[in-house]
Amino acid sequence: MKKTILSFILFTAIATTASAQTTGIIADVLRKSVEQKVASMQELIQFDDAKAEQLFKVECAYLFEVRKVEGCMFCNKKKRIEKLQENRDKNLQIILDRDQYIKYKVIEDDLLQKRPLWAE
């Protein structure tokens, strides 16, 4: 009986640790990709470091929320992601000037059309 309980506790601890490590790895990958995206956009559009930092926060928050929605089993994913996209666009418009925002969206749309995520 003690061996069974001990085995169960050990298995639960290992499973929890593995799940937490995977989440940490995914979060790191998302942060690095956002960092690269913002750096390349800053180089192309020429906005200052303060705007770059704000964009980094907005993009990270957006991706983490989308990730949460994708894991949700009982919610309307399409509707929630549309809401997140609208919120992200509003924040981008607040941070960037009108010309910068238009360039940002054009570059982003162009990149998405040329290089699908599954092709990387």
Side-chain angles (χ1 to χ4, degrees), residues 12-47:
T12 305
I14 291 171
T16 305
T17 305
S19 174
Q21 288 175 349
T22 303
T23 302
I25 292 170
I26 293 170
D28 288 342
V29 169
L30 289 176
R31 280 190 197 95
K32 286 180 184 178
S33 69
V34 168
E35 190 175 303
Q36 290 173 350
K37 177 183 177 181
V38 171
S40 66
M41 290 292 196
Q42 185 177 15
E43 187 177 310
L44 292 171
I45 301 174
Q46 302 296 317
F47 48 82

Tab-separated table of all heavy atoms in Angstrom, residues 12-47:
chain	number	residue	atom	x	y	z
A	12	THR	N	2.915	11.751	-10.065
A	12	THR	CA	2.255	13.057	-10.134
A	12	THR	C	3.274	14.190	-10.129
A	12	THR	O	3.154	15.153	-10.893
A	12	THR	CB	1.271	13.225	-8.953
A	12	THR	OG1	0.358	12.131	-8.953
A	12	THR	CG2	0.507	14.524	-9.058
A	13	ALA	N	4.280	14.076	-9.304
A	13	ALA	CA	5.318	15.113	-9.246
A	13	ALA	C	6.078	15.206	-10.561
A	13	ALA	O	6.349	16.296	-11.059
A	13	ALA	CB	6.266	14.828	-8.091
A	14	ILE	N	6.407	14.076	-11.156
A	14	ILE	CA	7.130	14.063	-12.430
A	14	ILE	C	6.263	14.651	-13.539
A	14	ILE	O	6.726	15.450	-14.349
A	14	ILE	CB	7.598	12.636	-12.772
A	14	ILE	CG1	8.697	12.204	-11.808
A	14	ILE	CG2	8.087	12.545	-14.212
A	14	ILE	CD1	9.087	10.748	-11.922
A	15	ALA	N	5.006	14.265	-13.587
A	15	ALA	CA	4.099	14.779	-14.616
A	15	ALA	C	3.915	16.284	-14.489
A	15	ALA	O	3.906	17.010	-15.491
A	15	ALA	CB	2.757	14.068	-14.524
A	16	THR	N	3.780	16.783	-13.280
A	16	THR	CA	3.618	18.220	-13.049
A	16	THR	C	4.871	18.978	-13.451
A	16	THR	O	4.791	20.025	-14.099
A	16	THR	CB	3.287	18.493	-11.567
A	16	THR	OG1	2.142	17.730	-11.212
A	16	THR	CG2	3.033	19.956	-11.322
A	17	THR	N	6.011	18.465	-13.116
A	17	THR	CA	7.274	19.112	-13.460
A	17	THR	C	7.482	19.151	-14.967
A	17	THR	O	7.888	20.163	-15.522
A	17	THR	CB	8.461	18.384	-12.786
A	17	THR	OG1	8.219	18.325	-11.391
A	17	THR	CG2	9.760	19.082	-13.053
A	18	ALA	N	7.190	18.058	-15.638
A	18	ALA	CA	7.349	18.003	-17.093
A	18	ALA	C	6.423	19.002	-17.770
A	18	ALA	O	6.813	19.696	-18.717
A	18	ALA	CB	7.068	16.597	-17.599
A	19	SER	N	5.204	19.106	-17.289
A	19	SER	CA	4.249	20.060	-17.860
A	19	SER	C	4.727	21.490	-17.652
A	19	SER	O	4.639	22.322	-18.553
A	19	SER	CB	2.883	19.868	-17.218
A	19	SER	OG	1.995	20.848	-17.657
A	20	ALA	N	5.234	21.805	-16.494
A	20	ALA	CA	5.718	23.156	-16.206
A	20	ALA	C	6.920	23.487	-17.068
A	20	ALA	O	7.062	24.620	-17.550
A	20	ALA	CB	6.073	23.288	-14.729
A	21	GLN	N	7.807	22.535	-17.301
A	21	GLN	CA	8.971	22.786	-18.136
A	21	GLN	C	8.556	23.035	-19.574
A	21	GLN	O	9.110	23.903	-20.242
A	21	GLN	CB	9.944	21.614	-18.052
A	21	GLN	CG	10.675	21.538	-16.729
A	21	GLN	CD	11.547	20.303	-16.630
A	21	GLN	OE1	11.465	19.399	-17.442
A	21	GLN	NE2	12.380	20.278	-15.603
A	22	THR	N	7.589	22.303	-20.078
A	22	THR	CA	7.106	22.509	-21.437
A	22	THR	C	6.502	23.895	-21.576
A	22	THR	O	6.758	24.593	-22.553
A	22	THR	CB	6.048	21.443	-21.794
A	22	THR	OG1	6.621	20.155	-21.621
A	22	THR	CG2	5.582	21.597	-23.214
A	23	THR	N	5.713	24.306	-20.598
A	23	THR	CA	5.111	25.636	-20.626
A	23	THR	C	6.193	26.705	-20.626
A	23	THR	O	6.103	27.680	-21.359
A	23	THR	CB	4.172	25.820	-19.414
A	23	THR	OG1	3.191	24.807	-19.454
A	23	THR	CG2	3.511	27.170	-19.437
A	24	GLY	N	7.225	26.521	-19.835
A	24	GLY	CA	8.318	27.486	-19.788
A	24	GLY	C	9.061	27.569	-21.104
A	24	GLY	O	9.435	28.650	-21.550
A	25	ILE	N	9.271	26.432	-21.737
A	25	ILE	CA	9.961	26.409	-23.026
A	25	ILE	C	9.135	27.123	-24.079
A	25	ILE	O	9.659	27.928	-24.855
A	25	ILE	CB	10.260	24.957	-23.451
A	25	ILE	CG1	11.314	24.348	-22.515
A	25	ILE	CG2	10.737	24.896	-24.892
A	25	ILE	CD1	11.498	22.861	-22.686
A	26	ILE	N	7.843	26.861	-24.115
A	26	ILE	CA	6.964	27.514	-25.085
A	26	ILE	C	6.936	29.021	-24.851
A	26	ILE	O	7.000	29.809	-25.795
A	26	ILE	CB	5.547	26.911	-25.023
A	26	ILE	CG1	5.586	25.467	-25.521
A	26	ILE	CG2	4.565	27.735	-25.848
A	26	ILE	CD1	4.316	24.699	-25.298
A	27	ALA	N	6.854	29.438	-23.604
A	27	ALA	CA	6.845	30.871	-23.289
A	27	ALA	C	8.143	31.528	-23.743
A	27	ALA	O	8.119	32.635	-24.294
A	27	ALA	CB	6.638	31.076	-21.794
A	28	ASP	N	9.273	30.857	-23.538
A	28	ASP	CA	10.560	31.404	-23.981
A	28	ASP	C	10.616	31.540	-25.500
A	28	ASP	O	11.091	32.548	-26.026
A	28	ASP	CB	11.720	30.523	-23.507
A	28	ASP	CG	11.957	30.623	-22.012
A	28	ASP	OD1	11.472	31.595	-21.390
A	28	ASP	OD2	12.630	29.720	-21.468
A	29	VAL	N	10.123	30.539	-26.194
A	29	VAL	CA	10.109	30.590	-27.658
A	29	VAL	C	9.215	31.727	-28.147
A	29	VAL	O	9.586	32.472	-29.069
A	29	VAL	CB	9.643	29.234	-28.250
A	29	VAL	CG1	9.373	29.339	-29.735
A	29	VAL	CG2	10.683	28.157	-27.976
A	30	LEU	N	8.057	31.885	-27.527
A	30	LEU	CA	7.158	32.977	-27.914
A	30	LEU	C	7.803	34.335	-27.668
A	30	LEU	O	7.738	35.230	-28.525
A	30	LEU	CB	5.832	32.880	-27.150
A	30	LEU	CG	4.905	31.736	-27.541
A	30	LEU	CD1	3.678	31.719	-26.642
A	30	LEU	CD2	4.495	31.837	-28.992
A	31	ARG	N	8.438	34.495	-26.509
A	31	ARG	CA	9.104	35.769	-26.207
A	31	ARG	C	10.220	36.071	-27.201
A	31	ARG	O	10.362	37.198	-27.666
A	31	ARG	CB	9.672	35.753	-24.791
A	31	ARG	CG	8.648	36.027	-23.723
A	31	ARG	CD	9.301	36.241	-22.358
A	31	ARG	NE	8.310	36.094	-21.331
A	31	ARG	CZ	8.065	34.977	-20.651
A	31	ARG	NH1	8.779	33.902	-20.878
A	31	ARG	NH2	7.122	34.940	-19.742
A	32	LYS	N	11.007	35.070	-27.543
A	32	LYS	CA	12.103	35.281	-28.490
A	32	LYS	C	11.588	35.633	-29.878
A	32	LYS	O	12.144	36.497	-30.548
A	32	LYS	CB	13.000	34.044	-28.553
A	32	LYS	CG	13.875	33.891	-27.334
A	32	LYS	CD	14.749	32.662	-27.398
A	32	LYS	CE	15.537	32.510	-26.106
A	32	LYS	NZ	16.366	31.313	-26.089
A	33	SER	N	10.517	34.970	-30.296
A	33	SER	CA	9.966	35.287	-31.618
A	33	SER	C	9.386	36.698	-31.656
A	33	SER	O	9.552	37.413	-32.642
A	33	SER	CB	8.911	34.263	-32.027
A	33	SER	OG	7.765	34.366	-31.235
A	34	VAL	N	8.743	37.108	-30.560
A	34	VAL	CA	8.206	38.476	-30.495
A	34	VAL	C	9.354	39.478	-30.469
A	34	VAL	O	9.295	40.514	-31.136
A	34	VAL	CB	7.287	38.654	-29.261
A	34	VAL	CG1	6.961	40.108	-29.024
A	34	VAL	CG2	6.023	37.855	-29.441
A	35	GLU	N	10.398	39.166	-29.740
A	35	GLU	CA	11.557	40.048	-29.676
A	35	GLU	C	12.167	40.238	-31.061
A	35	GLU	O	12.488	41.365	-31.460
A	35	GLU	CB	12.586	39.446	-28.718
A	35	GLU	CG	13.737	40.349	-28.376
A	35	GLU	CD	14.637	39.705	-27.339
A	35	GLU	OE1	14.146	39.351	-26.252
A	35	GLU	OE2	15.833	39.550	-27.644
A	36	GLN	N	12.296	39.162	-31.822
A	36	GLN	CA	12.832	39.245	-33.181
A	36	GLN	C	11.898	40.034	-34.097
A	36	GLN	O	12.351	40.848	-34.901
A	36	GLN	CB	13.065	37.853	-33.748
A	36	GLN	CG	14.196	37.110	-33.098
A	36	GLN	CD	14.297	35.668	-33.575
A	36	GLN	OE1	13.407	35.161	-34.256
A	36	GLN	NE2	15.370	35.001	-33.183
A	37	LYS	N	10.606	39.796	-33.953
A	37	LYS	CA	9.629	40.501	-34.784
A	37	LYS	C	9.679	41.996	-34.528
A	37	LYS	O	9.729	42.792	-35.468
A	37	LYS	CB	8.222	39.967	-34.506
A	37	LYS	CG	7.134	40.689	-35.263
A	37	LYS	CD	5.778	40.160	-34.875
A	37	LYS	CE	4.676	40.936	-35.569
A	37	LYS	NZ	3.345	40.456	-35.183
A	38	VAL	N	9.671	42.380	-33.266
A	38	VAL	CA	9.684	43.802	-32.919
A	38	VAL	C	10.994	44.452	-33.368
A	38	VAL	O	10.997	45.568	-33.896
A	38	VAL	CB	9.435	44.008	-31.409
A	38	VAL	CG1	9.674	45.446	-31.001
A	38	VAL	CG2	8.017	43.595	-31.054
A	39	ALA	N	12.108	43.744	-33.217
A	39	ALA	CA	13.401	44.297	-33.646
A	39	ALA	C	13.431	44.511	-35.157
A	39	ALA	O	13.893	45.557	-35.635
A	39	ALA	CB	14.534	43.377	-33.214
A	40	SER	N	12.924	43.549	-35.907
A	40	SER	CA	12.914	43.717	-37.363
A	40	SER	C	11.949	44.825	-37.789
A	40	SER	O	12.245	45.599	-38.698
A	40	SER	CB	12.572	42.410	-38.064
A	40	SER	OG	11.260	42.012	-37.778
A	41	MET	N	10.803	44.916	-37.112
A	41	MET	CA	9.852	45.999	-37.414
A	41	MET	C	10.454	47.358	-37.072
A	41	MET	O	10.267	48.325	-37.803
A	41	MET	CB	8.545	45.795	-36.653
A	41	MET	CG	7.729	44.652	-37.130
A	41	MET	SD	7.073	44.954	-38.778
A	41	MET	CE	5.828	43.700	-38.849
A	42	GLN	N	11.183	47.421	-35.974
A	42	GLN	CA	11.812	48.678	-35.577
A	42	GLN	C	12.846	49.109	-36.615
A	42	GLN	O	12.948	50.285	-36.951
A	42	GLN	CB	12.471	48.543	-34.205
A	42	GLN	CG	13.032	49.833	-33.669
A	42	GLN	CD	13.612	49.677	-32.271
A	42	GLN	OE1	13.851	48.573	-31.802
A	42	GLN	NE2	13.837	50.793	-31.605
A	43	GLU	N	13.556	48.147	-37.148
A	43	GLU	CA	14.552	48.447	-38.173
A	43	GLU	C	13.893	48.923	-39.463
A	43	GLU	O	14.353	49.869	-40.089
A	43	GLU	CB	15.383	47.190	-38.444
A	43	GLU	CG	16.551	47.402	-39.368
A	43	GLU	CD	17.354	46.129	-39.525
A	43	GLU	OE1	17.711	45.520	-38.502
A	43	GLU	OE2	17.609	45.743	-40.681
A	44	LEU	N	12.783	48.303	-39.830
A	44	LEU	CA	12.103	48.651	-41.073
A	44	LEU	C	11.294	49.941	-40.970
A	44	LEU	O	11.275	50.748	-41.897
A	44	LEU	CB	11.167	47.508	-41.500
A	44	LEU	CG	11.839	46.211	-41.926
A	44	LEU	CD1	10.810	45.111	-42.098
A	44	LEU	CD2	12.617	46.416	-43.218
A	45	ILE	N	10.624	50.138	-39.846
A	45	ILE	CA	9.698	51.265	-39.709
A	45	ILE	C	10.339	52.463	-39.021
A	45	ILE	O	9.861	53.579	-39.146
A	45	ILE	CB	8.421	50.811	-38.963
A	45	ILE	CG1	7.751	49.672	-39.744
A	45	ILE	CG2	7.439	51.955	-38.800
A	45	ILE	CD1	6.576	49.056	-39.034
A	46	GLN	N	11.400	52.246	-38.279
A	46	GLN	CA	12.129	53.321	-37.598
A	46	GLN	C	11.309	53.983	-36.485
A	46	GLN	O	11.033	55.169	-36.524
A	46	GLN	CB	12.585	54.396	-38.605
A	46	GLN	CG	13.471	53.898	-39.720
A	46	GLN	CD	14.794	53.370	-39.224
A	46	GLN	OE1	15.408	53.968	-38.364
A	46	GLN	NE2	15.220	52.233	-39.747
A	47	PHE	N	10.903	53.206	-35.492
A	47	PHE	CA	10.296	53.801	-34.305
A	47	PHE	C	11.266	53.652	-33.141
A	47	PHE	O	12.207	52.867	-33.195
A	47	PHE	CB	8.919	53.197	-33.985
A	47	PHE	CG	8.842	51.701	-33.995
A	47	PHE	CD1	9.245	50.957	-32.908
A	47	PHE	CD2	8.359	51.032	-35.110
A	47	PHE	CE1	9.166	49.590	-32.904
A	47	PHE	CE2	8.279	49.654	-35.122
A	47	PHE	CZ	8.682	48.923	-34.015
